[in-house]
Amino acid sequence: MFTGIVQGVAEVVAIEEKQDFRTHIVRLPQEMLPGLQLGASVAHNGCCLTVTRVDGDLAHFDLMQETLRITNLGTLKAGDGVNVERAAKFGDDIGGHAMSGHVMGLASVVDVIESPNNRTVWFELPAGLEKYVFTKGYIGIDGISLTIGVVEGRRFCVHLIPETLNRTNIAGRRSGDKINIEIDPQTQTIVDTVERVLAQRGQA
């Protein structure tokens, strides 16, 4: 489980390509290294990946074809930065909201609005995910736990404070960029359950 409180931005230092498979080698922030072992879970832009090798501050992660297909990790190149977070431990503060690290789809950045000391970013969701998005609800954007501002059909916005812009890679997002989306699991469960119950009543 993750909290959506990004611990830093890790640089992708190398990418090893294989058929329908890829290995990312990233340089993790120093504060994330203590206790890091093979098999540990680290979220990259909100996608849960497993450590396969550790060389000092460099960690290796394998990405299967499905991960490359449904997330923005397949578009990364050496020199890019990814939001990283180690899996939460029992007793940790949950400063954001509970996240599984399972990306549900890619949203497009459609507008970036600058104002003094903050920024508003608008996104457009793929069809089918909009039913899980509500004003003031939670959403995971490239691994960042954020509160939804306004919802207009398949489009929604978030408001970003300087701390979020400084600690994550969202400061560099521009119109047309694709970002990983994780819907709040509790919201998804409630919506799907209500839909199922109403469908069953309609068939009765």
Side-chain angles (χ1 to χ4, degrees):
M1 187 188 79
F2 302 93
T3 68
I5 302 302
V6 172
Q7 294 170 298
V9 176
E11 178 191 3
V12 179
V13 298
I15 296 174
E16 299 174 356
E17 296 281 5
K18 301 173 184 176
Q19 183 175 354
D20 300 329
F21 189 83
R22 173 183 285 188
T23 296
H24 282 186
I25 303 171
V26 303
R27 177 171 286 109
L28 293 174
Q30 290 295 321
E31 59 271 21
M32 293 183 64
L33 297 176
L36 186 69
Q37 298 178 342
L38 298 184
S41 295
V42 179
H44 290 57
N45 284 352
C47 178
C48 179
L49 297 179
T50 301
V51 175
T52 59
R53 179 178 171 185
V54 179
D55 293 318
D57 63 352
L58 300 181
H60 296 231
F61 301 87
D62 292 338
L63 293 84
M64 302 300 289
Q65 182 179 16
E66 183 68 4
T67 301
L68 298 172
R69 185 183 69 83
I70 67 173
T71 76
N72 61 15
L73 299 183
T75 65
L76 292 175
K77 57 187 183 299
D80 286 344
V82 292
N83 295 328
V84 285
E85 179 192 353
R86 289 185 60 175
K89 300 185 293 293
F90 182 76
D92 285 351
D93 290 337
I94 307 297
H97 73 281
M99 295 171 61
S100 66
H102 298 157
V103 173
M104 294 187 65
L106 291 169
S108 299
V109 178
V110 294
D111 198 10
V112 178
I113 303 169
E114 301 281 359
S115 57
N117 298 316
N118 62 75
R119 179 179 302 176
T120 297
V121 183
W122 280 88
F123 304 91
E124 183 167 348
L125 292 161
L129 292 187
E130 67 273 13
K131 64 183 178 181
Y132 302 118
V133 177
F134 300 93
T135 299
K136 304 305 179 187
Y138 293 117
I139 195 164
I141 295 179
D142 273 346
I144 312 166
S145 172
L146 292 168
T147 302
I148 298 165
V150 179
V151 179
E152 296 178 352
R154 285 170 51 194
R155 296 190 174 191
F156 72 95
C157 73
V158 295
H159 305 294
L160 305 170
I161 61 173
E163 179 67 12
T164 302
L165 296 171
N166 290 334
R167 289 177 58 89
T168 73
N169 64 9
I170 200 169
R173 294 304 190 189
R174 297 293 180 263
S175 293
D177 287 352
K178 301 293 186 181
I179 57 100
N180 294 333
I181 289 288
E182 181 181 335
I183 300 300
D184 174 41
Q186 292 183 339
T187 301
Q188 182 185 4
T189 299
I190 292 169
V191 171
D192 289 348
T193 300
V194 170
E195 282 188 345
R196 184 168 61 250
V197 170
L198 291 176
Q200 291 171 347
R201 287 181 178 177
Q203 295 170 0

PDB file of all heavy atoms in Angstrom, residues 68-108:
ATOM      1  N   LEU A  68       3.859  -1.371 -19.461  1.00  0.00           N
ATOM      2  CA  LEU A  68       4.271  -0.402 -20.472  1.00  0.00           C
ATOM      3  C   LEU A  68       3.082   0.095 -21.278  1.00  0.00           C
ATOM      4  O   LEU A  68       3.059   1.247 -21.729  1.00  0.00           O
ATOM      5  CB  LEU A  68       5.312  -1.034 -21.406  1.00  0.00           C
ATOM      6  CG  LEU A  68       6.623  -1.471 -20.738  1.00  0.00           C
ATOM      7  CD1 LEU A  68       7.483  -2.247 -21.723  1.00  0.00           C
ATOM      8  CD2 LEU A  68       7.384  -0.270 -20.198  1.00  0.00           C
ATOM      9  N   ARG A  69       2.069  -0.764 -21.449  1.00  0.00           N
ATOM     10  CA  ARG A  69       0.908  -0.402 -22.266  1.00  0.00           C
ATOM     11  C   ARG A  69      -0.041   0.556 -21.564  1.00  0.00           C
ATOM     12  O   ARG A  69      -0.549   1.499 -22.177  1.00  0.00           O
ATOM     13  CB  ARG A  69       0.145  -1.668 -22.682  1.00  0.00           C
ATOM     14  CG  ARG A  69      -1.020  -1.402 -23.633  1.00  0.00           C
ATOM     15  CD  ARG A  69      -1.769  -2.691 -23.945  1.00  0.00           C
ATOM     16  NE  ARG A  69      -2.498  -3.197 -22.785  1.00  0.00           N
ATOM     17  CZ  ARG A  69      -3.701  -2.758 -22.427  1.00  0.00           C
ATOM     18  NH1 ARG A  69      -4.314  -1.807 -23.104  1.00  0.00           N
ATOM     19  NH2 ARG A  69      -4.300  -3.267 -21.362  1.00  0.00           N
ATOM     20  N   ILE A  70      -0.293   0.321 -20.274  1.00  0.00           N
ATOM     21  CA  ILE A  70      -1.357   1.081 -19.618  1.00  0.00           C
ATOM     22  C   ILE A  70      -0.853   2.242 -18.764  1.00  0.00           C
ATOM     23  O   ILE A  70      -1.658   2.958 -18.168  1.00  0.00           O
ATOM     24  CB  ILE A  70      -2.242   0.158 -18.749  1.00  0.00           C
ATOM     25  CG1 ILE A  70      -1.441  -0.395 -17.569  1.00  0.00           C
ATOM     26  CG2 ILE A  70      -2.855  -0.950 -19.577  1.00  0.00           C
ATOM     27  CD1 ILE A  70      -2.294  -1.162 -16.577  1.00  0.00           C
ATOM     28  N   THR A  71       0.475   2.432 -18.684  1.00  0.00           N
ATOM     29  CA  THR A  71       1.013   3.540 -17.891  1.00  0.00           C
ATOM     30  C   THR A  71       1.914   4.407 -18.759  1.00  0.00           C
ATOM     31  O   THR A  71       2.226   4.067 -19.906  1.00  0.00           O
ATOM     32  CB  THR A  71       1.831   3.022 -16.685  1.00  0.00           C
ATOM     33  OG1 THR A  71       3.115   2.547 -17.151  1.00  0.00           O
ATOM     34  CG2 THR A  71       1.107   1.899 -15.960  1.00  0.00           C
ATOM     35  N   ASN A  72       2.342   5.532 -18.186  1.00  0.00           N
ATOM     36  CA  ASN A  72       3.251   6.415 -18.923  1.00  0.00           C
ATOM     37  C   ASN A  72       4.720   6.028 -18.733  1.00  0.00           C
ATOM     38  O   ASN A  72       5.613   6.717 -19.233  1.00  0.00           O
ATOM     39  CB  ASN A  72       3.031   7.882 -18.536  1.00  0.00           C
ATOM     40  CG  ASN A  72       3.277   8.171 -17.064  1.00  0.00           C
ATOM     41  OD1 ASN A  72       3.876   7.379 -16.340  1.00  0.00           O
ATOM     42  ND2 ASN A  72       2.790   9.322 -16.606  1.00  0.00           N
ATOM     43  N   LEU A  73       4.978   4.921 -18.035  1.00  0.00           N
ATOM     44  CA  LEU A  73       6.360   4.511 -17.812  1.00  0.00           C
ATOM     45  C   LEU A  73       7.038   4.061 -19.103  1.00  0.00           C
ATOM     46  O   LEU A  73       8.257   4.143 -19.235  1.00  0.00           O
ATOM     47  CB  LEU A  73       6.422   3.398 -16.761  1.00  0.00           C
ATOM     48  CG  LEU A  73       5.880   3.755 -15.373  1.00  0.00           C
ATOM     49  CD1 LEU A  73       6.071   2.590 -14.406  1.00  0.00           C
ATOM     50  CD2 LEU A  73       6.524   5.022 -14.829  1.00  0.00           C
ATOM     51  N   GLY A  74       6.236   3.604 -20.063  1.00  0.00           N
ATOM     52  CA  GLY A  74       6.798   3.163 -21.329  1.00  0.00           C
ATOM     53  C   GLY A  74       7.339   4.295 -22.181  1.00  0.00           C
ATOM     54  O   GLY A  74       8.086   4.060 -23.137  1.00  0.00           O
ATOM     55  N   THR A  75       6.990   5.532 -21.843  1.00  0.00           N
ATOM     56  CA  THR A  75       7.462   6.688 -22.625  1.00  0.00           C
ATOM     57  C   THR A  75       8.712   7.317 -22.021  1.00  0.00           C
ATOM     58  O   THR A  75       9.267   8.252 -22.594  1.00  0.00           O
ATOM     59  CB  THR A  75       6.364   7.763 -22.723  1.00  0.00           C
ATOM     60  OG1 THR A  75       6.100   8.299 -21.412  1.00  0.00           O
ATOM     61  CG2 THR A  75       5.071   7.177 -23.287  1.00  0.00           C
ATOM     62  N   LEU A  76       9.140   6.821 -20.857  1.00  0.00           N
ATOM     63  CA  LEU A  76      10.301   7.417 -20.191  1.00  0.00           C
ATOM     64  C   LEU A  76      11.589   7.168 -20.977  1.00  0.00           C
ATOM     65  O   LEU A  76      11.726   6.170 -21.671  1.00  0.00           O
ATOM     66  CB  LEU A  76      10.449   6.844 -18.786  1.00  0.00           C
ATOM     67  CG  LEU A  76       9.369   7.203 -17.771  1.00  0.00           C
ATOM     68  CD1 LEU A  76       9.603   6.443 -16.470  1.00  0.00           C
ATOM     69  CD2 LEU A  76       9.324   8.699 -17.523  1.00  0.00           C
ATOM     70  N   LYS A  77      12.509   8.082 -20.798  1.00  0.00           N
ATOM     71  CA  LYS A  77      13.843   7.928 -21.372  1.00  0.00           C
ATOM     72  C   LYS A  77      14.871   8.336 -20.328  1.00  0.00           C
ATOM     73  O   LYS A  77      14.531   8.963 -19.321  1.00  0.00           O
ATOM     74  CB  LYS A  77      13.992   8.770 -22.641  1.00  0.00           C
ATOM     75  CG  LYS A  77      13.733  10.247 -22.446  1.00  0.00           C
ATOM     76  CD  LYS A  77      13.744  10.980 -23.769  1.00  0.00           C
ATOM     77  CE  LYS A  77      13.544  12.491 -23.575  1.00  0.00           C
ATOM     78  NZ  LYS A  77      12.262  12.814 -22.932  1.00  0.00           N
ATOM     79  N   ALA A  78      16.121   7.962 -20.561  1.00  0.00           N
ATOM     80  CA  ALA A  78      17.178   8.302 -19.620  1.00  0.00           C
ATOM     81  C   ALA A  78      17.219   9.814 -19.411  1.00  0.00           C
ATOM     82  O   ALA A  78      17.141  10.591 -20.362  1.00  0.00           O
ATOM     83  CB  ALA A  78      18.519   7.803 -20.130  1.00  0.00           C
ATOM     84  N   GLY A  79      17.312  10.223 -18.146  1.00  0.00           N
ATOM     85  CA  GLY A  79      17.321  11.637 -17.798  1.00  0.00           C
ATOM     86  C   GLY A  79      15.994  12.143 -17.287  1.00  0.00           C
ATOM     87  O   GLY A  79      15.934  13.201 -16.647  1.00  0.00           O
ATOM     88  N   ASP A  80      14.917  11.402 -17.548  1.00  0.00           N
ATOM     89  CA  ASP A  80      13.598  11.802 -17.047  1.00  0.00           C
ATOM     90  C   ASP A  80      13.519  11.554 -15.540  1.00  0.00           C
ATOM     91  O   ASP A  80      14.260  10.739 -14.986  1.00  0.00           O
ATOM     92  CB  ASP A  80      12.490  11.010 -17.748  1.00  0.00           C
ATOM     93  CG  ASP A  80      12.261  11.471 -19.178  1.00  0.00           C
ATOM     94  OD1 ASP A  80      12.734  12.574 -19.525  1.00  0.00           O
ATOM     95  OD2 ASP A  80      11.614  10.730 -19.937  1.00  0.00           O
ATOM     96  N   GLY A  81      12.579  12.244 -14.897  1.00  0.00           N
ATOM     97  CA  GLY A  81      12.348  12.057 -13.469  1.00  0.00           C
ATOM     98  C   GLY A  81      10.995  11.422 -13.205  1.00  0.00           C
ATOM     99  O   GLY A  81      10.015  11.738 -13.887  1.00  0.00           O
ATOM    100  N   VAL A  82      10.951  10.516 -12.242  1.00  0.00           N
ATOM    101  CA  VAL A  82       9.691   9.876 -11.864  1.00  0.00           C
ATOM    102  C   VAL A  82       9.432  10.106 -10.380  1.00  0.00           C
ATOM    103  O   VAL A  82      10.356  10.125  -9.564  1.00  0.00           O
ATOM    104  CB  VAL A  82       9.697   8.352 -12.152  1.00  0.00           C
ATOM    105  CG1 VAL A  82       9.711   8.090 -13.641  1.00  0.00           C
ATOM    106  CG2 VAL A  82      10.864   7.661 -11.485  1.00  0.00           C
ATOM    107  N   ASN A  83       8.156  10.282 -10.044  1.00  0.00           N
ATOM    108  CA  ASN A  83       7.761  10.375  -8.644  1.00  0.00           C
ATOM    109  C   ASN A  83       7.929   9.012  -7.994  1.00  0.00           C
ATOM    110  O   ASN A  83       7.470   8.003  -8.541  1.00  0.00           O
ATOM    111  CB  ASN A  83       6.295  10.809  -8.523  1.00  0.00           C
ATOM    112  CG  ASN A  83       6.058  12.212  -9.042  1.00  0.00           C
ATOM    113  OD1 ASN A  83       6.926  13.077  -8.965  1.00  0.00           O
ATOM    114  ND2 ASN A  83       4.870  12.452  -9.581  1.00  0.00           N
ATOM    115  N   VAL A  84       8.594   8.971  -6.848  1.00  0.00           N
ATOM    116  CA  VAL A  84       8.817   7.687  -6.184  1.00  0.00           C
ATOM    117  C   VAL A  84       8.325   7.734  -4.737  1.00  0.00           C
ATOM    118  O   VAL A  84       8.407   8.752  -4.061  1.00  0.00           O
ATOM    119  CB  VAL A  84      10.306   7.269  -6.218  1.00  0.00           C
ATOM    120  CG1 VAL A  84      10.695   6.779  -7.607  1.00  0.00           C
ATOM    121  CG2 VAL A  84      11.210   8.398  -5.777  1.00  0.00           C
ATOM    122  N   GLU A  85       7.830   6.571  -4.300  1.00  0.00           N
ATOM    123  CA  GLU A  85       7.391   6.389  -2.913  1.00  0.00           C
ATOM    124  C   GLU A  85       7.574   4.929  -2.546  1.00  0.00           C
ATOM    125  O   GLU A  85       7.134   4.042  -3.284  1.00  0.00           O
ATOM    126  CB  GLU A  85       5.920   6.779  -2.738  1.00  0.00           C
ATOM    127  CG  GLU A  85       5.415   6.573  -1.312  1.00  0.00           C
ATOM    128  CD  GLU A  85       3.903   6.683  -1.165  1.00  0.00           C
ATOM    129  OE1 GLU A  85       3.229   7.045  -2.138  1.00  0.00           O
ATOM    130  OE2 GLU A  85       3.404   6.370  -0.068  1.00  0.00           O
ATOM    131  N   ARG A  86       8.221   4.677  -1.427  1.00  0.00           N
ATOM    132  CA  ARG A  86       8.321   3.302  -0.928  1.00  0.00           C
ATOM    133  C   ARG A  86       7.004   2.905  -0.281  1.00  0.00           C
ATOM    134  O   ARG A  86       6.240   3.749   0.183  1.00  0.00           O
ATOM    135  CB  ARG A  86       9.475   3.177   0.075  1.00  0.00           C
ATOM    136  CG  ARG A  86      10.842   3.285  -0.589  1.00  0.00           C
ATOM    137  CD  ARG A  86      11.973   3.029   0.385  1.00  0.00           C
ATOM    138  NE  ARG A  86      11.905   1.687   0.975  1.00  0.00           N
ATOM    139  CZ  ARG A  86      12.822   1.189   1.786  1.00  0.00           C
ATOM    140  NH1 ARG A  86      13.883   1.929   2.116  1.00  0.00           N
ATOM    141  NH2 ARG A  86      12.703  -0.021   2.288  1.00  0.00           N
ATOM    142  N   ALA A  87       6.756   1.610  -0.262  1.00  0.00           N
ATOM    143  CA  ALA A  87       5.520   1.114   0.325  1.00  0.00           C
ATOM    144  C   ALA A  87       5.413   1.528   1.784  1.00  0.00           C
ATOM    145  O   ALA A  87       6.409   1.558   2.512  1.00  0.00           O
ATOM    146  CB  ALA A  87       5.450  -0.403   0.193  1.00  0.00           C
ATOM    147  N   ALA A  88       4.183   1.847   2.199  1.00  0.00           N
ATOM    148  CA  ALA A  88       3.949   2.256   3.584  1.00  0.00           C
ATOM    149  C   ALA A  88       4.139   1.068   4.519  1.00  0.00           C
ATOM    150  O   ALA A  88       3.871  -0.087   4.166  1.00  0.00           O
ATOM    151  CB  ALA A  88       2.541   2.816   3.720  1.00  0.00           C
ATOM    152  N   LYS A  89       4.622   1.361   5.721  1.00  0.00           N
ATOM    153  CA  LYS A  89       4.778   0.342   6.754  1.00  0.00           C
ATOM    154  C   LYS A  89       3.708   0.544   7.823  1.00  0.00           C
ATOM    155  O   LYS A  89       3.186   1.645   8.016  1.00  0.00           O
ATOM    156  CB  LYS A  89       6.176   0.426   7.385  1.00  0.00           C
ATOM    157  CG  LYS A  89       7.318   0.225   6.407  1.00  0.00           C
ATOM    158  CD  LYS A  89       8.662   0.194   7.115  1.00  0.00           C
ATOM    159  CE  LYS A  89       9.016   1.544   7.729  1.00  0.00           C
ATOM    160  NZ  LYS A  89       9.249   2.580   6.708  1.00  0.00           N
ATOM    161  N   PHE A  90       3.406  -0.528   8.527  1.00  0.00           N
ATOM    162  CA  PHE A  90       2.412  -0.439   9.597  1.00  0.00           C
ATOM    163  C   PHE A  90       2.851   0.616  10.609  1.00  0.00           C
ATOM    164  O   PHE A  90       3.985   0.623  11.072  1.00  0.00           O
ATOM    165  CB  PHE A  90       2.263  -1.796  10.293  1.00  0.00           C
ATOM    166  CG  PHE A  90       1.214  -1.801  11.369  1.00  0.00           C
ATOM    167  CD1 PHE A  90      -0.125  -1.836  11.049  1.00  0.00           C
ATOM    168  CD2 PHE A  90       1.570  -1.739  12.706  1.00  0.00           C
ATOM    169  CE1 PHE A  90      -1.095  -1.829  12.034  1.00  0.00           C
ATOM    170  CE2 PHE A  90       0.616  -1.727  13.703  1.00  0.00           C
ATOM    171  CZ  PHE A  90      -0.729  -1.774  13.358  1.00  0.00           C
ATOM    172  N   GLY A  91       1.949   1.520  10.914  1.00  0.00           N
ATOM    173  CA  GLY A  91       2.250   2.582  11.860  1.00  0.00           C
ATOM    174  C   GLY A  91       2.639   3.897  11.210  1.00  0.00           C
ATOM    175  O   GLY A  91       2.718   4.919  11.890  1.00  0.00           O
ATOM    176  N   ASP A  92       2.903   3.883   9.882  1.00  0.00           N
ATOM    177  CA  ASP A  92       3.227   5.132   9.193  1.00  0.00           C
ATOM    178  C   ASP A  92       2.024   6.059   9.164  1.00  0.00           C
ATOM    179  O   ASP A  92       0.865   5.611   9.140  1.00  0.00           O
ATOM    180  CB  ASP A  92       3.656   4.851   7.740  1.00  0.00           C
ATOM    181  CG  ASP A  92       5.058   4.285   7.640  1.00  0.00           C
ATOM    182  OD1 ASP A  92       5.760   4.270   8.681  1.00  0.00           O
ATOM    183  OD2 ASP A  92       5.454   3.877   6.538  1.00  0.00           O
ATOM    184  N   ASP A  93       2.288   7.362   9.147  1.00  0.00           N
ATOM    185  CA  ASP A  93       1.221   8.333   8.952  1.00  0.00           C
ATOM    186  C   ASP A  93       0.692   8.225   7.526  1.00  0.00           C
ATOM    187  O   ASP A  93       1.472   8.074   6.576  1.00  0.00           O
ATOM    188  CB  ASP A  93       1.721   9.767   9.185  1.00  0.00           C
ATOM    189  CG  ASP A  93       2.027  10.048  10.642  1.00  0.00           C
ATOM    190  OD1 ASP A  93       1.461   9.338  11.500  1.00  0.00           O
ATOM    191  OD2 ASP A  93       2.818  10.960  10.916  1.00  0.00           O
ATOM    192  N   ILE A  94      -0.624   8.290   7.364  1.00  0.00           N
ATOM    193  CA  ILE A  94      -1.240   8.315   6.041  1.00  0.00           C
ATOM    194  C   ILE A  94      -1.593   9.767   5.744  1.00  0.00           C
ATOM    195  O   ILE A  94      -2.680  10.245   6.042  1.00  0.00           O
ATOM    196  CB  ILE A  94      -2.503   7.418   5.976  1.00  0.00           C
ATOM    197  CG1 ILE A  94      -2.171   6.002   6.454  1.00  0.00           C
ATOM    198  CG2 ILE A  94      -3.053   7.412   4.553  1.00  0.00           C
ATOM    199  CD1 ILE A  94      -1.165   5.270   5.602  1.00  0.00           C
ATOM    200  N   GLY A  95      -0.632  10.482   5.175  1.00  0.00           N
ATOM    201  CA  GLY A  95      -0.850  11.903   4.929  1.00  0.00           C
ATOM    202  C   GLY A  95      -1.710  12.171   3.721  1.00  0.00           C
ATOM    203  O   GLY A  95      -2.301  13.247   3.584  1.00  0.00           O
ATOM    204  N   GLY A  96      -1.784  11.190   2.807  1.00  0.00           N
ATOM    205  CA  GLY A  96      -2.609  11.360   1.616  1.00  0.00           C
ATOM    206  C   GLY A  96      -3.848  10.501   1.722  1.00  0.00           C
ATOM    207  O   GLY A  96      -4.722  10.758   2.542  1.00  0.00           O
ATOM    208  N   HIS A  97      -3.939   9.451   0.896  1.00  0.00           N
ATOM    209  CA  HIS A  97      -5.010   8.470   1.030  1.00  0.00           C
ATOM    210  C   HIS A  97      -4.460   7.119   0.591  1.00  0.00           C
ATOM    211  O   HIS A  97      -3.439   7.042  -0.085  1.00  0.00           O
ATOM    212  CB  HIS A  97      -6.251   8.871   0.228  1.00  0.00           C
ATOM    213  CG  HIS A  97      -6.126   8.725  -1.264  1.00  0.00           C
ATOM    214  ND1 HIS A  97      -5.468   9.657  -2.054  1.00  0.00           N
ATOM    215  CD2 HIS A  97      -6.567   7.767  -2.111  1.00  0.00           C
ATOM    216  CE1 HIS A  97      -5.530   9.279  -3.328  1.00  0.00           C
ATOM    217  NE2 HIS A  97      -6.184   8.133  -3.393  1.00  0.00           N
ATOM    218  N   ALA A  98      -5.114   6.048   1.000  1.00  0.00           N
ATOM    219  CA  ALA A  98      -4.629   4.708   0.684  1.00  0.00           C
ATOM    220  C   ALA A  98      -4.653   4.480  -0.818  1.00  0.00           C
ATOM    221  O   ALA A  98      -5.678   4.682  -1.478  1.00  0.00           O
ATOM    222  CB  ALA A  98      -5.493   3.669   1.388  1.00  0.00           C
ATOM    223  N   MET A  99      -3.500   4.060  -1.354  1.00  0.00           N
ATOM    224  CA  MET A  99      -3.375   3.796  -2.780  1.00  0.00           C
ATOM    225  C   MET A  99      -2.731   2.433  -2.975  1.00  0.00           C
ATOM    226  O   MET A  99      -1.859   2.032  -2.210  1.00  0.00           O
ATOM    227  CB  MET A  99      -2.556   4.894  -3.461  1.00  0.00           C
ATOM    228  CG  MET A  99      -3.236   6.260  -3.427  1.00  0.00           C
ATOM    229  SD  MET A  99      -2.180   7.627  -4.009  1.00  0.00           S
ATOM    230  CE  MET A  99      -1.862   7.113  -5.700  1.00  0.00           C
ATOM    231  N   SER A 100      -3.151   1.739  -4.023  1.00  0.00           N
ATOM    232  CA  SER A 100      -2.685   0.371  -4.256  1.00  0.00           C
ATOM    233  C   SER A 100      -1.465   0.312  -5.167  1.00  0.00           C
ATOM    234  O   SER A 100      -0.759  -0.699  -5.200  1.00  0.00           O
ATOM    235  CB  SER A 100      -3.815  -0.463  -4.885  1.00  0.00           C
ATOM    236  OG  SER A 100      -4.116   0.031  -6.187  1.00  0.00           O
ATOM    237  N   GLY A 101      -1.230   1.363  -5.944  1.00  0.00           N
ATOM    238  CA  GLY A 101      -0.153   1.323  -6.926  1.00  0.00           C
ATOM    239  C   GLY A 101      -0.567   0.671  -8.228  1.00  0.00           C
ATOM    240  O   GLY A 101       0.279   0.354  -9.069  1.00  0.00           O
ATOM    241  N   HIS A 102      -1.882   0.470  -8.423  1.00  0.00           N
ATOM    242  CA  HIS A 102      -2.407  -0.121  -9.650  1.00  0.00           C
ATOM    243  C   HIS A 102      -3.042   0.978 -10.505  1.00  0.00           C
ATOM    244  O   HIS A 102      -4.125   1.486 -10.204  1.00  0.00           O
ATOM    245  CB  HIS A 102      -3.438  -1.207  -9.337  1.00  0.00           C
ATOM    246  CG  HIS A 102      -2.858  -2.347  -8.552  1.00  0.00           C
ATOM    247  ND1 HIS A 102      -3.608  -3.180  -7.768  1.00  0.00           N
ATOM    248  CD2 HIS A 102      -1.580  -2.776  -8.436  1.00  0.00           C
ATOM    249  CE1 HIS A 102      -2.833  -4.078  -7.193  1.00  0.00           C
ATOM    250  NE2 HIS A 102      -1.593  -3.852  -7.582  1.00  0.00           N
ATOM    251  N   VAL A 103      -2.344   1.350 -11.566  1.00  0.00           N
ATOM    252  CA  VAL A 103      -2.822   2.420 -12.450  1.00  0.00           C
ATOM    253  C   VAL A 103      -4.020   1.928 -13.252  1.00  0.00           C
ATOM    254  O   VAL A 103      -3.995   0.828 -13.816  1.00  0.00           O
ATOM    255  CB  VAL A 103      -1.687   2.875 -13.395  1.00  0.00           C
ATOM    256  CG1 VAL A 103      -2.199   3.862 -14.441  1.00  0.00           C
ATOM    257  CG2 VAL A 103      -0.544   3.484 -12.590  1.00  0.00           C
ATOM    258  N   MET A 104      -5.072   2.754 -13.315  1.00  0.00           N
ATOM    259  CA  MET A 104      -6.297   2.355 -14.004  1.00  0.00           C
ATOM    260  C   MET A 104      -6.376   2.901 -15.425  1.00  0.00           C
ATOM    261  O   MET A 104      -7.203   2.457 -16.216  1.00  0.00           O
ATOM    262  CB  MET A 104      -7.520   2.816 -13.209  1.00  0.00           C
ATOM    263  CG  MET A 104      -7.683   2.131 -11.879  1.00  0.00           C
ATOM    264  SD  MET A 104      -9.230   2.570 -11.072  1.00  0.00           S
ATOM    265  CE  MET A 104     -10.432   1.869 -12.198  1.00  0.00           C
ATOM    266  N   GLY A 105      -5.563   3.880 -15.741  1.00  0.00           N
ATOM    267  CA  GLY A 105      -5.606   4.446 -17.086  1.00  0.00           C
ATOM    268  C   GLY A 105      -4.772   5.701 -17.173  1.00  0.00           C
ATOM    269  O   GLY A 105      -4.192   6.161 -16.178  1.00  0.00           O
ATOM    270  N   LEU A 106      -4.728   6.258 -18.366  1.00  0.00           N
ATOM    271  CA  LEU A 106      -3.973   7.479 -18.622  1.00  0.00           C
ATOM    272  C   LEU A 106      -4.919   8.627 -18.904  1.00  0.00           C
ATOM    273  O   LEU A 106      -5.840   8.505 -19.714  1.00  0.00           O
ATOM    274  CB  LEU A 106      -3.046   7.282 -19.830  1.00  0.00           C
ATOM    275  CG  LEU A 106      -1.869   6.332 -19.642  1.00  0.00           C
ATOM    276  CD1 LEU A 106      -1.212   6.043 -20.986  1.00  0.00           C
ATOM    277  CD2 LEU A 106      -0.851   6.934 -18.682  1.00  0.00           C
ATOM    278  N   ALA A 107      -4.691   9.738 -18.235  1.00  0.00           N
ATOM    279  CA  ALA A 107      -5.447  10.969 -18.502  1.00  0.00           C
ATOM    280  C   ALA A 107      -4.533  11.945 -19.238  1.00  0.00           C
ATOM    281  O   ALA A 107      -3.306  11.878 -19.110  1.00  0.00           O
ATOM    282  CB  ALA A 107      -5.951  11.593 -17.203  1.00  0.00           C
ATOM    283  N   SER A 108      -5.144  12.843 -19.998  1.00  0.00           N
ATOM    284  CA  SER A 108      -4.378  13.851 -20.736  1.00  0.00           C
ATOM    285  C   SER A 108      -4.452  15.186 -20.023  1.00  0.00           C
ATOM    286  O   SER A 108      -5.521  15.575 -19.531  1.00  0.00           O
ATOM    287  CB  SER A 108      -4.934  14.014 -22.154  1.00  0.00           C
ATOM    288  OG  SER A 108      -4.847  12.813 -22.879  1.00  0.00           O
TER     289      SER A 108
END
